[in-house]
Amino acid sequence: MISMRIDEAEALETGTKDEVGGRKLSEGVRGAEMRTATPGQTKPEGDALMERVIERENMRQAYSRVLRNKGAAGVDGMTTEALGTWLKQHWPRVREALLEGSYVPRAVRRVDIPKPDGGVRTLGVPTVVDRLIQQALHQVLQPIFEPTFSAGSFGFRPGIGAHEAVRQAQAYVQSGRHWVVDMDLEKFFDRMNHDVLMARVARKVRDKRVLKLIRRFLEAGMMADGLTRQRTEGTPQGGPLSPLLSNILLTDLDKHLEARGLAFCRYADDCNIYVGSGRAGERVMASTRAYLERALRLVVNEAKSKVARPGTRKFLGYRIATRRGQAPIRVAPQSIERLMRRVRELMRQGRGQSLARTIQMLNPLLRGWANYFRLSEQPRRMKALDGWVRRRLRCLLWRQWKRPRTRKRHLQAQGLDPERAWRSSVNGRGPWWNAGASHMTQALPNAYFERLGLVSVYETIARLQRIR
């Protein structure tokens, strides 16, 4: 059993500490410096947090989570599939290094991902061993810090998420707060101040070994193109610990807003504050900016932050409209355009494949998008989106058929009379025009795509709203 591998590794501790499985520890243990522990050292209960981190059941859960999440290899090239075998041989020494406070994480591998609105998002991919340790830390620290988090914080917390944040934003707008202070923190994860963050972690964590380990994870170098650059600020996105650390740091912002009686929704570094007027919004923007710079050493992105009507700003992919006393939830135009762009990309990949295969590629995208945007109150817009997807598929088929003779044969096979099939096949119009013309919609009606199993965004959202 997978869950037994760590247990088996712990059992090896009855052997010598200098050699495990026939190999010297200095040859096998990655990321652990070897130091001598103080004999007979005891710690008070409040300082024994590391013992809870490396406790057998906690490590079992962390191991299962890392395997379930999979993910790319770090700088050492080790995959999640190889982790169990490696732990079986080396876990006793890693465990000892953690208890001694001498464990040193490896550098993270830099990965730059293009952002939809331009620029790149830098991810740092830790080694799978470091991901395991971070996950074990997260499982112990989350229950400690969770009670301190604000009701206005929705990101990376158990039992709540983006949908609850959007619903709360809607409630604020419905209550008459028709202006939003939309704040974006400039490169938040890249510029998080280590000293400020660690001071907030130390409020609840007394174990110096845990504090030292967290700082080492923060300061682990970032490797790109074979070169490692040391880091003095930021926590790279990509590790299990980063989301929790972001909430710990920004809890001070939440408490500051609560003390002022402000209505806000925060998801990670995306914070919306709802107020009754534009003038009040400008005051809140200025004072909150000053607080962030002074207390947390964070910078507001002026280009992406604004005081505006909620219906003109995007929050977690949605927009909250203000109309005749109501606050309907809409999908932001950028979110729809992003879906359409991804569909076009998949369609290009599907030009040499069967229609069934192309639909098989599209369905996870459409189903996942509809599930996330199930709060949308735009049935006509979702029906139009379905129609656009079907037209793209008809366009794909028209391109695949290529010659007039082939197009005539396929149109006849779908029920068109020979004369109309021939005239349609030689009309001289382009693929997109033909995809929306009556001969193609008659030959390939909506039911045709339903039989092939194409996911309907409208129907998926409608079904999810019925069972909500």
Side-chain angles (χ1 to χ4, degrees):
M1 291 177 61
I2 288 175
S3 62
M4 288 298 293
R5 290 175 178 164
I6 290 179
D7 294 351
E8 293 166 357
E10 287 184 332
L12 294 175
E13 287 186 281
T14 55
T16 66
K17 291 185 178 181
D18 294 328
E19 189 168 327
V20 176
R23 295 182 60 192
K24 290 187 180 298
L25 288 166
S26 58
E27 298 172 353
V29 175
R30 310 181 188 195
E33 288 183 349
M34 301 180 69
R35 299 180 186 174
T36 304
T38 304
Q41 186 177 18
T42 59
K43 297 180 181 296
E45 180 63 24
D47 292 338
L49 199 61
M50 185 62 79
E51 280 73 12
R52 291 169 56 188
V53 172
I54 56 91
E55 190 268 334
R56 181 179 302 177
E57 185 57 32
N58 188 57
M59 293 305 302
R60 272 206 198 111
Q61 293 176 12
Y63 180 77
S64 298
R65 184 66 177 266
V66 169
L67 288 190
R68 190 162 62 248
N69 290 344
K70 297 183 179 178
V75 295
D76 60 355
M78 186 192 299
T79 63
T80 53
E81 291 78 11
L83 177 60
T85 301
W86 191 91
L87 287 173
K88 185 175 181 180
Q89 184 174 3
H90 300 300
W91 171 246
R93 189 64 190 93
V94 173
R95 182 179 185 275
E96 182 182 6
L98 290 169
L99 288 172
E100 292 176 356
S102 62
Y103 184 86
V104 179
R106 297 287 296 268
V108 297
R109 183 169 62 86
R110 175 170 178 159
V111 178
D112 290 330
I113 298 178
K115 290 183 179 180
D117 54 353
V120 296
R121 175 178 287 109
T122 299
L123 302 183
V125 181
T127 65
V128 290
V129 175
D130 286 340
R131 290 211 295 273
L132 172 71
I133 295 168
Q134 285 195 35
Q135 181 61 38
L137 272 171
H138 182 280
Q139 291 168 183
V140 171
L141 294 176
Q142 177 82 35
I144 294 172
F145 284 95
E146 180 64 27
T148 71
F149 293 157
S150 167
S153 170
F154 295 88
F156 315 121
R157 297 182 61 189
I160 58 176
H163 290 154
E164 288 76 17
V166 173
R167 284 292 191 197
Q168 183 61 71
Q170 181 189 39
Y172 287 144
V173 176
Q174 285 176 333
S175 70
R177 297 176 175 90
H178 292 168
W179 288 83
V180 62
V181 181
D182 185 0
M183 303 193 72
D184 181 86
L185 299 179
E186 189 171 337
K187 296 184 178 179
F188 168 69
F189 283 94
D190 297 333
R191 296 183 176 177
M192 198 183 296
N193 185 281
H194 290 173
D195 292 335
V196 174
L197 171 60
M198 291 307 302
R200 277 128 187 94
V201 175
R203 290 172 181 171
K204 291 288 182 180
V205 175
R206 292 175 55 192
D207 193 324
K208 292 182 179 179
R209 296 166 301 174
V210 172
L211 293 172
K212 185 188 299 184
L213 180 59
I214 294 173
R215 185 174 276 276
R216 283 176 175 168
F217 275 123
L218 291 172
E219 295 176 348
M222 182 171 287
M223 181 179 288
D225 300 323
L227 299 175
T228 300
R229 179 177 61 85
Q230 296 304 311
R231 292 184 297 114
T232 58
E233 61 180 2
T235 174
Q237 299 180 71
L241 206 53
S242 294
L244 176 61
L245 294 178
S246 71
N247 273 338
I248 292 172
L249 179 62
L250 290 176
T251 292
D252 274 22
L253 170 62
D254 300 339
K255 301 303 182 186
H256 171 75
L257 297 176
E258 287 177 344
R260 298 181 58 191
L262 294 170
F264 70 95
C265 296
R266 182 179 63 78
Y267 193 100
D269 58 330
D270 193 354
C271 183
N272 277 8
I273 307 168
Y274 295 88
V275 294
S277 69
R279 182 176 297 179
E282 295 294 347
R283 289 197 301 269
V284 169
M285 173 72 84
S287 60
T288 306
R289 182 193 300 116
Y291 172 81
L292 287 166
E293 292 174 356
R294 182 185 71 257
L296 301 182
R297 301 185 192 177
L298 297 172
V299 178
V300 173
N301 188 326
E302 300 290 346
K304 294 184 178 180
S305 302
K306 192 174 181 180
V307 178
R309 297 287 189 178
T312 66
R313 304 297 292 176
K314 176 168 66 74
F315 181 54
L316 301 177
Y318 285 94
R319 281 186 176 179
I320 312 297
T322 51
R323 190 181 62 185
R324 295 190 295 274
Q326 300 298 313
I329 297 175
R330 304 281 189 249
V331 179
Q334 302 95 313
S335 301
I336 295 176
E337 178 53 40
R338 196 175 305 160
L339 172 67
M340 295 172 72
R341 185 163 58 246
R342 183 63 183 138
V343 168
R344 291 188 190 99
E345 292 171 359
L346 291 177
M347 291 290 188
R348 282 194 290 271
Q349 297 174 22
R351 287 182 181 177
Q353 304 182 46
S354 68
L355 185 65
R357 173 59 183 155
T358 302
I359 289 174
Q360 189 178 15
M361 291 167 57
L362 282 175
N363 277 346
L365 172 66
L366 298 174
R367 189 179 294 111
W369 193 90
N371 182 63
Y372 180 79
F373 289 104
R374 63 181 180 267
L375 302 184
S376 166
E377 300 171 15
Q378 301 164 276
R380 292 169 65 180
R381 186 68 185 87
M382 297 303 105
K383 287 181 179 179
L385 188 57
D386 280 339
W388 178 84
V389 172
R390 289 190 294 266
R391 186 171 179 179
R392 294 293 308 184
L393 290 170
R394 294 186 185 105
C395 182
L396 178 67
L397 284 177
W398 189 263
R399 289 179 184 276
Q400 288 180 342
W401 294 344
K402 293 183 180 179
R403 296 183 177 84
R405 189 174 8 179
T406 307
R407 290 168 178 167
K408 174 180 178 292
R409 185 175 72 252
H410 281 289
L411 290 172
Q412 275 189 249
Q414 292 303 126
L416 267 64
D417 65 76
E419 176 63 22
R420 188 181 180 197
W422 173 248
R423 282 190 286 104
S424 299
S425 67
V426 295
N427 61 35
R429 302 275 191 165
W432 184 247
W433 184 91
N434 277 282
S438 60
H439 55 271
M440 283 293 279
T441 56
Q442 182 178 333
L444 305 172
N446 297 353
Y448 176 83
F449 296 102
E450 290 176 10
R451 289 194 296 272
L452 289 174
L454 178 66
V455 167
S456 163
V457 170
Y458 167 75
E459 291 293 344
T460 302
I461 290 177
R463 183 177 68 255
L464 290 170
Q465 289 180 344
R466 284 195 298 270
I467 64 177
R468 188 173 62 206

